[in-house]
Amino acid sequence: MPQSHIMPGFRPALGFTLFYLALIVLIPLSAMLLKTLQLSLDQFWDILTNRRVLTSFKVSFGAALIAAAVAAVLGSVIAWCLVRYLFPGKKIFDALIDLPFALPTAVAGIVLATIYEPKGWIGKWVMEAIGVQIAYKPLGIVFALIFIGLPFVVRTIEPVLQEFDSAMEEAAASLGANRWQAFINIILPNILPAAITGFALAFARGVGEYGSVIFIAGNMPYVSEIVPLLIITKLEQYDYAGATAIGLIMLILSFVLLLSINGLQWWMRRRNGQL
Amino acid sequence: MSAMNPSFSHRAKPLTLNDSAWVRYTLILISLLTIGLFLILPLATVLIAAFAKGWSTYSSSLAEPDALAAMRLTLLTAAITVPLTTVFGVSAAWAIARFEFKGKNLLITLIDLPFSVSPVIAGLIYVLIFGAQGWLGPWLSDHDIKIIFAVPGIVLATLFVTFPFVARELIPLMQEIGHEEEEAALSLGASGWQTFFKITVPNIKWGLLYGVLLCNARAMGEFGAVSVVSGHIRGLTNTLPLHVEVSYNEYDFVGAFASASLLAGLAVVTLVVKTFLEWKQKQDLKAARQAAAE
Amino acid sequence: MSISLSNISKQFGAFKALDNINLEIPEGELVALLGPSGCGKTTLLRIIAGLEQADQGDVFLKGNKVTDQPVKNRQIGFVFQHYVLFRHMTVFDNIAFGLRVKPRKQRPNETEIRDKVHSLLHLVQLDWLHDRFPDQLSGGQRQRIALARALAVEPSVLLLDEPFGALDASVRKDLRLWLRHLHHELNVTSIFVTHDQEEAMEVSSQIVVLNHGKIEQKGTPSEIYDQPQSDFVSRFIGQTNVFRIEDDDHDWLKSTGIIVDDPQGVVAHVRPHNISVEKTADPGNSPVYLKDWQHLGGTIRLELNRDGHNGSATTIYAEMPNEQFKDLALHKGDRVALRIKHAHWFN
């Protein structure tokens, strides 16, 4: 259906939208770009190749990558169970999935630290059973980011599974496929784009996450210091240039991730439309 | 949707189409363990830790002046940011869902941008503009205007992080509902505002409330961005999440978890209302689709 | 003139939806805009309403140029294809909407609104539904409520987009006649869009046939049917048998009465009822036999096969009254002779 040209209010609505977008988002973000441009290329390079900075990038990216992968697997299983099986309390579990969206990150941070610290409920048990310390180590960061990433994966896969036509499974079975073959050949190819999108969303969020991580991370420079914390540390030391340079890299990364996620979602929609 | 009851599924469907019992129970077990460890246990821990030293310690730590000031500031921040984000969301959705124009997809991407920017960056950009060494810093200090380490900075950072919340709920919803009812109202002589308030708003109300609800949760709970611009001045620029951090770092665990329990309560209420709104909106859309199909 | 359009054109991207449309519609007519889907009829209706802007050309309502007027100032009533009742309002509130959104000075008070709504509900014979919501109504009821809602503002022109398109066949029949009678009663200039030629013939006083964004013909139903001015109109309205004179068997055509020696055109279109069928005296020589026949109520449609020419069989349709068919006492397979009483010629 062609869009109607007779709807009123186009100019004021678009005008206000652009004005507010510029005021709150675009101008402040370009301020950061301008600040970085004041640095010479050498200065910029020095800041980024500093060993502490490099390590923090490694920690942030590594932890976010591992956490997103774990969340993608666990989240897929949860989405599968929520859509396909019936079990007591399913509705409540389903609603709880969004808790990491709704729970303020500071609360998540102190709670996760309390549970997984060496003396905490789970932390103590894991320590005694297999001798692994979770909190105040990079592993703690991974745990916090799994918490953060889980709902992204579940909520991306769930609708795809719901719309998935199980007649395709029946068709596969009628052609002689066993359950495992049906899963590998029919179900997996259909939910894979959603799982990858969920993974990317969890990763993007994880790289920039601050509140839920800093309490459990231990924040040891060169070991468990994440990039967002390093930015704050630099700010507190009035090293605006350093903070900005690191921030710009993070911002560019967000942009790239956002565009690739948009691409992924477009790909997903197209696939679903075709199938 | 094919939801199958484990205990009956063998009769309901032939085995080839269903997962065998051990697969089902293993997957459900993994799910429940994950949900238990990552979602339920943390929620329970908040309450247990908050009441670790009894009700009276809990209530007195919430009645502390600093805690009360933090609550007031959190409410104030939400009271300013939620309406602004809502007005922005509605006007963005109106422009995007009702009109065709060049650069629309870019605009949608830019609206989503604050979602993927680290909250720390959200704070940083305002420090670069309004901070003591920022672009406007000298001018602001000459005129004795405080933005960073003060309430305006907190509001600005919160506006940034809540920016997409209402818009991204409304855009797909309004596109799905379509503009036919609005056209009908215009053809009956209604003005633009009459059409908006009498037709558009009733049609999008559940989605709108949904966006407002999530926006409010984020506005009250934002930590990273606010942390950068607030300066952590007790009793003045600490929001409730910042008060949680300060108390925790000072080893006042009961105080930290008492404040945290309020925020966790907010999260639970948000989830309950959210589930209700999702149900309502689904019903509305179903009815609309049926009506269109007949 | 109640409605007059001059040089209306509209383009959607590369697609020319309307191409220089000129049309005059006198007061009180009930006009059908008829054409196949994609012919531009709905776009034209929406341009008259002001729901769409024409790229060029002007719209006049009651002699006033309204091209630049928004829809709310045009005093039109528009009935949407899928009714588009406001889902969150009762039937009563739906009908009252147009009155309640009037500027305060012109707005009737609540008692007047109530009287008006109830008289409209009475008019569409659905008084008892006033407190229902649209979801609780049947398709036909929704259609009548949508009409009542459009009439509430006392429009000077009533525009209906495929008003019966979404209804069951039986409900459609009833509503067509009802609309015709209602129009008699109200005498509001009305235009409705349809792709169903039967519906256009049955309901309207004037038909405008559109194709590819252009007006093919305008006239009363009988003018359109009896004197089609183009090949397209003749094919589109009613059933037609088409004979291409050049590549057809001239001897046979002559035997049916078509003038072959000095034809008036390239193709002859013959309505089924313009073919009379007789038992032939010389069955060995007739290429036409009765293949099948169908009851259409008062008339019988004969499906005649004509074998032979160019090795392919063609089907010719003829129609005759029941009684006549009975008298002929034809059986399937019987050879027949045809007489063509009247043909329309086109180039």
Side-chain angles (χ1 to χ4, degrees):
Chain A
M1 168 154 298
Q3 290 283 307
S4 163
H5 302 285
I6 56 116
M7 285 288 160
F10 176 60
R11 277 157 194 277
L14 187 65
F16 177 71
T17 302
L18 292 177
F19 167 74
Y20 192 78
L21 177 73
L23 196 69
I24 300 293
V25 179
L26 297 183
I27 294 174
L29 283 179
S30 46
M32 195 160 100
L33 193 65
L34 288 175
K35 184 86 187 169
T36 324
L37 288 179
Q38 290 177 336
L39 295 172
S40 74
L41 208 59
D42 284 345
Q43 285 172 310
F44 188 68
W45 189 247
D46 282 347
I47 291 169
L48 292 182
T49 49
N50 175 290
R51 200 167 78 83
R52 185 171 171 185
V53 176
L54 281 180
T55 325
S56 75
F57 269 103
K58 258 181 229 158
V59 170
S60 275
F61 277 77
L65 213 58
I66 296 169
V70 175
V73 173
L74 291 176
S76 304
V77 172
I78 293 175
W80 178 264
C81 290
L82 286 177
V83 172
R84 288 301 182 95
Y85 306 145
L86 215 61
F87 50 91
K90 186 173 127 163
K91 285 250 162 75
I92 297 175
F93 292 130
D94 196 4
L96 262 179
I97 296 295
D98 285 326
L99 183 71
F101 283 153
L103 193 69
T105 53
V107 178
I110 65 168
V111 167
L112 290 173
T114 306
I115 297 174
Y116 293 103
E117 71 168 344
K119 278 182 279 172
W121 295 355
I122 306 286
K124 191 170 145 195
W125 180 79
V126 173
M127 191 76 169
E128 282 167 6
I130 49 173
V132 173
Q133 184 182 336
I134 299 173
Y136 315 133
K137 295 274 180 194
L139 187 59
I141 304 175
V142 173
F143 265 67
L145 294 184
I146 294 174
F147 169 84
I148 290 295
L150 213 49
F152 287 98
V153 180
V154 179
R155 290 300 183 232
T156 321
I157 297 182
E158 235 181 350
V160 176
L161 269 181
Q162 268 161 1
E163 305 227 321
F164 179 73
D165 187 359
S166 49
M168 276 200 279
E169 284 165 70
E170 292 175 1
S174 78
L175 295 167
N178 65 31
R179 192 69 191 139
W180 177 248
Q181 289 169 321
F183 177 77
I184 291 294
N185 294 308
I186 309 296
I187 300 169
L188 196 62
N190 278 293
I191 61 169
L192 200 60
I196 295 173
T197 308
F199 167 84
L201 286 167
F203 176 71
R205 173 72 196 265
V207 170
E209 178 58 22
Y210 175 71
S212 58
V213 175
I214 52 158
F215 297 98
I216 201 175
N219 306 327
M220 292 260 297
Y222 304 105
V223 178
S224 60
E225 187 176 51
I226 55 169
V227 179
L229 180 69
L230 190 60
I231 293 176
I232 291 197
T233 310
K234 298 228 174 237
L235 267 184
E236 279 168 357
Q237 294 162 351
Y238 298 102
D239 178 8
Y240 279 30
T244 316
I246 302 170
L248 186 72
I249 296 299
M250 292 289 276
L251 185 66
I252 292 170
L253 183 89
S254 314
F255 236 136
V256 172
L257 279 171
L258 180 65
L259 290 179
S260 30
I261 289 166
N262 279 357
L264 273 171
Q265 276 166 343
W266 176 81
W267 179 49
M268 217 168 99
R269 268 198 301 274
R270 208 183 55 146
R271 268 190 73 113
N272 288 343
Q274 279 176 343
L275 288 168
Chain B
M1 202 171 96
S2 54
M4 307 160 201
N5 188 326
S7 51
F8 294 112
S9 54
H10 286 278
R11 290 175 191 200
K13 280 211 162 193
L15 246 180
T16 42
L17 289 179
N18 211 337
D19 307 318
S20 57
W22 71 267
V23 170
R24 254 178 291 136
Y25 288 121
T26 312
L27 293 181
I28 291 178
L29 189 69
I30 294 174
S31 299
L32 294 187
L33 265 178
T34 311
I35 293 174
L37 275 183
F38 281 99
L39 304 176
I40 297 176
L41 190 59
L43 208 51
T45 305
V46 177
L47 288 182
I48 293 170
F51 290 104
K53 290 186 182 156
W55 167 258
S56 59
T57 323
Y58 174 82
S59 54
S60 65
S61 64
L62 283 183
E64 260 184 58
D66 288 350
L68 288 176
M71 288 176 216
R72 269 197 300 273
L73 181 56
T74 293
L75 290 175
L76 174 71
T77 308
I80 298 171
T81 52
V82 174
L84 276 171
T85 303
T86 305
V87 170
F88 163 73
V90 170
S91 80
W94 185 265
I96 288 169
R98 290 292 174 263
F99 301 94
E100 287 302 331
F101 53 92
K102 271 194 188 141
K104 191 157 128 172
N105 284 328
L106 178 68
L107 179 59
I108 296 175
T109 306
L110 287 176
I111 289 174
D112 266 350
L113 186 59
F115 260 145
S116 49
V117 171
S118 173
V120 169
I121 308 252
L124 171 68
I125 54 179
Y126 292 107
V127 174
L128 292 181
I129 296 179
F130 301 111
Q133 295 178 36
W135 301 99
L136 300 177
W139 186 86
L140 289 171
S141 69
D142 285 350
H143 292 77
D144 209 20
I145 303 170
K146 267 190 94 64
I147 290 182
I148 299 304
F149 304 152
V151 177
I154 293 173
V155 170
L156 278 173
T158 311
L159 283 178
F160 183 93
V161 293
T162 58
F163 189 82
F165 273 82
V166 178
R168 73 147 31 191
E169 279 314 316
L170 289 187
I171 292 168
L173 178 65
M174 282 175 65
Q175 279 169 338
E176 161 119 31
I177 290 174
H179 59 264
E180 283 193 307
E181 284 191 38
E182 284 146 9
E183 269 184 16
L186 291 168
S187 83
L188 291 165
S191 70
W193 285 114
Q194 282 172 326
T195 305
F196 177 74
F197 283 111
K198 287 178 186 252
I199 307 300
T200 314
V201 171
N203 276 338
I204 61 169
K205 61 175 182 285
W206 300 121
L208 182 63
L209 279 176
Y210 187 93
V212 168
L213 179 81
L214 295 189
C215 172
N216 179 63
R218 184 72 193 262
M220 291 192 170
E222 177 52 29
F223 175 70
V226 172
S227 172
V228 176
V229 295
S230 116
H232 295 82
I233 308 166
R234 294 197 78 156
L236 278 180
T237 63
N238 268 355
T239 60
L240 211 44
L242 295 175
H243 183 70
V244 170
E245 183 200 19
V246 170
S247 307
Y248 185 84
N249 286 341
E250 289 171 355
Y251 302 103
D252 173 12
F253 291 129
V254 170
F257 278 103
S259 299
S261 74
L262 292 184
L263 291 168
L266 171 76
V268 171
V269 171
T270 303
L271 288 187
V272 172
V273 179
K274 177 176 168 290
T275 310
F276 170 76
L277 290 177
E278 274 167 348
W279 175 73
K280 266 294 195 193
Q281 195 185 325
K282 213 186 270 175
Q283 280 197 321
D284 268 21
L285 275 180
K286 215 173 23 189
R289 274 197 213 112
Q290 266 172 3
E294 271 166 26
Chain C
M1 284 302 139
S2 183
I3 301 170
S4 124
L5 307 174
S6 77
N7 306 319
I8 298 281
S9 292
K10 175 78 181 175
Q11 194 122 1
F12 291 114
F15 176 68
K16 200 151 208 168
L18 291 172
D19 188 5
N20 204 22
I21 297 282
N22 287 289
L23 184 63
E24 308 260 287
I25 293 172
E27 189 71 43
E29 293 281 352
L30 175 53
V31 178
L33 281 182
L34 174 66
S37 61
C39 72
K41 54 193 191 299
T42 293
T43 306
L44 188 60
L45 194 77
R46 290 170 64 87
I47 285 173
I48 299 170
L51 292 169
E52 204 86 61
Q53 262 324 332
D55 297 338
Q56 47 170 300
D58 285 311
V59 179
F60 298 86
L61 296 178
K62 304 239 174 207
N64 302 315
K65 184 170 146 184
V66 296
T67 316
D68 300 317
Q69 292 287 327
V71 54
K72 57 175 292 207
N73 295 348
R74 292 195 185 190
Q75 264 205 302
I76 51 101
F78 199 96
V79 178
F80 292 79
Q81 184 175 5
H82 297 287
Y83 330 125
V84 199
L85 295 178
F86 304 130
R87 269 175 287 126
H88 60 286
M89 295 181 189
T90 60
V91 162
F92 183 97
D93 291 335
N94 261 285
I95 299 175
F97 183 89
L99 302 170
R100 287 182 175 151
V101 297
K102 278 181 190 279
R104 205 170 293 275
K105 272 184 223 154
Q106 303 159 32
R107 194 184 307 165
N109 65 36
E110 274 302 310
T111 328
E112 288 164 343
I113 289 178
R114 201 168 54 234
D115 292 347
K116 177 91 196 171
V117 172
H118 279 295
S119 77
L120 282 163
L121 276 168
H122 189 70
L123 181 74
V124 299
Q125 298 153 5
L126 291 175
D127 242 330
W128 46 288
L129 288 177
H130 64 96
D131 56 353
R132 301 278 183 92
F133 283 91
D135 292 351
Q136 301 165 303
L137 307 182
S138 73
Q141 290 167 341
R142 284 181 206 178
Q143 180 59 281
R144 286 191 274 169
I145 298 303
L147 191 61
R149 183 178 71 177
L151 289 172
V153 290
E154 292 176 13
S156 61
V157 187
L158 188 60
L159 305 170
L160 306 101
D161 186 7
E162 295 271 4
F164 313 110
L167 297 171
D168 292 341
S170 64
V171 183
R172 202 182 307 172
K173 282 261 179 214
D174 290 345
L175 268 183
R176 280 179 193 168
L177 286 179
W178 177 79
L179 180 68
R180 200 181 153 95
H181 293 145
L182 190 73
H183 179 259
H184 270 293
E185 213 171 303
L186 300 170
N187 213 32
V188 181
T189 313
S190 307
I191 303 182
F192 73 99
V193 155
T194 180
H195 61 269
D196 180 343
Q197 42 98 6
E198 205 181 304
E199 184 171 295
M201 305 284 286
E202 195 174 323
V203 179
S204 64
S205 59
Q206 290 274 324
I207 296 179
V208 176
V209 185
L210 277 171
N211 189 31
H212 293 310
K214 287 186 171 162
I215 295 181
E216 292 273 343
Q217 190 174 352
K218 183 193 163 208
T220 63
S222 42
E223 278 168 0
I224 298 274
Y225 188 83
D226 294 332
Q227 296 146 41
Q229 278 162 19
S230 69
D231 179 278
F232 172 81
V233 174
S234 166
R235 281 170 198 262
F236 193 72
I237 310 287
Q239 222 168 6
T240 256
N241 296 295
V242 179
F243 299 99
R244 302 199 126 265
I245 302 304
E246 241 170 72
D247 18 294
D248 212 322
D249 176 353
H250 284 210
D251 288 341
W252 180 76
L253 285 176
K254 245 181 231 168
S255 78
T256 65
I258 291 186
I259 300 154
V260 182
D261 298 334
D262 183 20
Q264 292 164 269
V266 178
V267 283
H269 286 202
V270 181
R271 299 279 190 210
H273 63 86
N274 282 332
I275 299 180
S276 73
V277 180
E278 291 145 22
K279 269 196 171 158
T280 173
D282 180 13
N285 234 345
S286 172
V288 182
Y289 66 93
L290 178 66
K291 187 183 173 223
D292 202 358
W293 52 272
Q294 293 108 31
H295 231 287
L296 299 183
T299 58
I300 299 287
R301 179 169 63 197
L302 289 81
E303 206 178 326
L304 304 163
N305 248 19
R306 175 183 167 208
D307 44 35
H309 132 257
N310 298 346
S312 63
T314 43
T315 306
I316 298 169
Y317 294 99
E319 256 176 61
M320 64 175 66
N322 275 350
E323 292 301 316
Q324 198 184 334
F325 184 67
K326 238 177 240 167
D327 292 345
L328 276 174
L330 282 172
H331 298 281
K332 282 185 195 173
D334 284 355
R335 296 275 155 181
V336 293
L338 305 184
R339 263 220 82 71
I340 290 172
K341 293 181 278 188
H342 183 74
H344 296 116
W345 291 91
F346 299 103
N347 290 314

